Amino acid sequence: MNIRSIISNDNYSREEILYCLNSQGDDELALLEAGGRIRKQFVSNKVYLRGLIEYSNICAKNCFYCGIRRENKTVGRYCLSDENVLDAARFAMAKNYGSIVIQSGELSSPDFVKRIEQLIREIKRMSDGNLGITLSLGEQTEETYQKWYDAGAHRYLLRIEASNPTLYKKLHPDDPLHSYETRVNVLQTIKKVGYQTGTGVMIGLPFQTMEDLADDLCFMRDIDIDMCGMGPYVEHKETPLFQYRDQLMSQNDRLSLTLKMIATLRIMMKNINIASTTALQAINKEGRAQGILAGANILMPNITPGKFRDSYLLYENKPSTNEEAEDSTSSLEAIILHAGAEIGYGVWGDSLHYKSKL
């Protein structure tokens, strides 16, 4: 077995996926090169920008890995005003982004649902329908997803974080608010409503095995995702998982493994959208450029007002928290060009995989 023979196939066994993830030396280089080449061949050499708006760090969940978990009393909580959000959307329009992402801690109150719906409608109105909207707002009811979809959102990211139910339970409290089964069912609901559906996992978690990661990729293939956002696990000192920090692989190994995950998923699902996530740059300043070279085609410049960024810390060492939106945008544009790719201005950059199913 070798990388070149694996790439020549159309279907990939668990053993072949494991081989890719365990690859070293020339085989690893061949895998990463193939990921970048297949990206260019099947989704073009353009990288699309999604302006990231971190709407609120208030969260009802208490996940053991997350810096904005409900029981972290050290974080200053905030919620952007409507004008904050609309100003960020105007910035995205002025910079000729095709899309924005509205991300938040998980909330589901009627006021939250209504405000998001109204913001989506206003963003669509003021952009004449030209600004695409991705949401990453956690588990909601089908009725809520439908409201937001009807208002104008068309992509939704809900990360599974770990597709192994046993591992999932080690990362979350054992209660109905943190149910693996609910998470999987909600992903199916998002697909049913009609969203381009995305998920993702953390790479290098405590208790995680290479077999878990291979199964994560199989999970994404089997539920037929349209987009993916996955990155290295970066610990946060105010979380329960921080106690296991001495058991983790090195950050460099987490970076390397994440790049192999990106490349392998690109080979398996050639025309989906894959983000080169912020967590890559938290480990290495070249991390997001390396993600593009390995097969990613989405970057998310942070356009949240600068004074709120230090409060949306899901993990330590988050990059660009001290930058304004203008600086963050310039940094990511430079990353794209450094990776030898083009910037896809002014278009949504929708998942070709999703379009192929219509």
Side-chain angles (χ1 to χ4, degrees):
M1 191 182 297
N2 62 65
I3 295 297
R4 288 175 177 81
S5 66
I6 291 171
I7 293 168
S8 66
N9 297 332
D10 288 328
N11 297 306
Y12 302 94
S13 68
R14 185 173 186 259
E15 290 69 30
E16 288 171 324
I17 294 168
L18 273 169
Y19 184 90
C20 290
L21 298 184
N22 283 307
S23 62
Q24 302 290 332
D26 289 345
D27 260 356
E28 180 178 1
L29 292 175
L31 174 67
L32 300 182
E33 184 277 331
R37 174 168 45 80
I38 289 170
R39 170 183 61 80
K40 291 179 185 178
Q41 181 180 352
F42 286 87
V43 296
S44 87
N45 196 33
K46 288 185 177 178
V47 173
Y48 300 102
L49 299 175
R50 314 269 194 249
L52 177 62
I53 304 172
E54 294 165 333
Y55 174 77
S56 176
N57 68 350
I58 303 168
C59 191
K61 293 291 190 75
N62 211 23
C63 307
F64 295 154
Y65 50 83
C66 183
I68 64 170
R69 63 194 304 266
R70 185 182 68 236
E71 290 185 6
N72 182 4
K73 306 302 183 185
T74 67
V75 64
R77 303 292 176 174
Y78 76 88
C79 183
L80 298 183
S81 68
D82 288 359
E83 200 56 32
N84 287 150
V85 175
L86 297 176
D87 279 347
R90 291 184 190 104
F91 176 88
M93 291 163 55
K95 289 298 178 181
N96 203 23
Y97 292 1
S99 300
I100 59 170
V101 180
I102 301 176
Q103 181 179 16
S104 175
E106 292 202 26
L107 298 171
S108 56
S109 69
D111 285 347
F112 177 81
V113 172
K114 185 177 181 180
R115 274 196 73 198
I116 295 296
E117 179 184 3
Q118 291 173 337
L119 284 167
I120 295 168
R121 292 190 184 279
E122 180 58 21
I123 291 166
K124 282 296 182 180
R125 185 202 63 77
M126 73 183 197
S127 70
D128 293 325
N130 292 322
L131 198 59
I133 300 177
T134 302
L135 301 178
S136 182
L137 304 173
E139 296 168 13
Q140 305 291 339
T141 65
E142 182 174 345
E143 179 185 14
T144 294
Y145 287 132
Q146 191 68 57
K147 282 182 180 179
W148 292 344
Y149 185 84
D150 293 342
H154 66 288
R155 292 186 292 249
Y156 204 101
L157 176 67
L158 183 74
R159 291 182 24 154
I160 190 70
E161 301 299 10
S163 66
N164 178 338
T166 302
L167 177 57
Y168 189 94
K169 289 178 180 178
K170 291 181 179 180
L171 306 178
H172 301 88
D174 184 14
D175 62 38
L177 195 61
H178 302 82
S179 162
Y180 174 83
E181 292 74 17
T182 298
R183 198 78 169 178
V184 174
N185 290 338
V186 168
L187 274 168
Q188 296 296 345
T189 299
I190 292 166
K191 289 173 65 73
K192 176 185 173 185
V193 170
Y195 288 95
Q196 295 174 46
T197 302
T199 195
V201 297
M202 288 179 288
I203 298 155
L205 284 160
F207 322 119
Q208 186 182 59
T209 67
M210 206 68 79
E211 287 76 13
D212 289 330
L213 291 169
D215 289 338
D216 288 337
L217 295 177
C218 293
F219 174 85
M220 295 183 212
R221 177 187 62 193
D222 293 345
I223 67 169
D224 199 25
I225 62 168
D226 305 301
M227 56 190 198
C228 176
M230 59 183 171
Y233 168 66
V234 182
E235 57 271 32
H236 191 295
K237 63 183 179 182
E238 299 294 339
T239 64
L241 281 193
F242 191 69
Q243 65 184 300
Y244 301 105
R245 62 193 180 279
D246 293 336
Q247 300 177 24
L248 300 173
M249 66 177 70
S250 72
Q251 288 201 342
N252 280 340
D253 286 345
R254 279 177 263 172
L255 172 64
S256 173
L257 187 51
T258 300
L259 296 176
K260 288 187 280 189
M261 285 281 286
I262 290 172
T264 305
L265 183 60
R266 174 59 70 199
I267 291 164
M268 293 170 62
M269 303 188 75
K270 295 179 172 55
N271 59 352
I272 66 170
N273 281 345
I274 302 176
S276 189
T277 59
T278 307
L280 282 165
Q281 195 169 331
I283 286 180
N284 185 305
K285 66 179 182 179
E286 301 292 333
R288 281 192 276 195
Q290 292 178 40
I292 294 169
L293 291 169
N297 68 319
I298 302 292
L299 280 181
M300 295 182 288
N302 195 330
I303 59 174
T304 309
K307 65 181 180 180
F308 296 106
R309 294 193 198 175
D310 280 336
S311 297
Y312 203 92
L313 286 181
L314 306 181
Y315 47 81
E316 304 286 353
N317 302 320
K318 178 183 172 184
S320 305
T321 59
N322 61 346
E323 290 183 345
E324 289 298 331
E326 187 79 43
D327 300 319
S328 180
T329 296
S330 298
S331 297
L332 290 203
E333 288 174 342
I335 286 170
I336 293 170
L337 298 176
H338 180 65
E342 306 167 38
I343 304 170
Y345 284 119
V347 291
W348 288 2
D350 279 343
S351 167
L352 297 180
H353 185 75
Y354 176 86
K355 291 181 176 180
S356 72
K357 296 182 286 186
L358 297 177

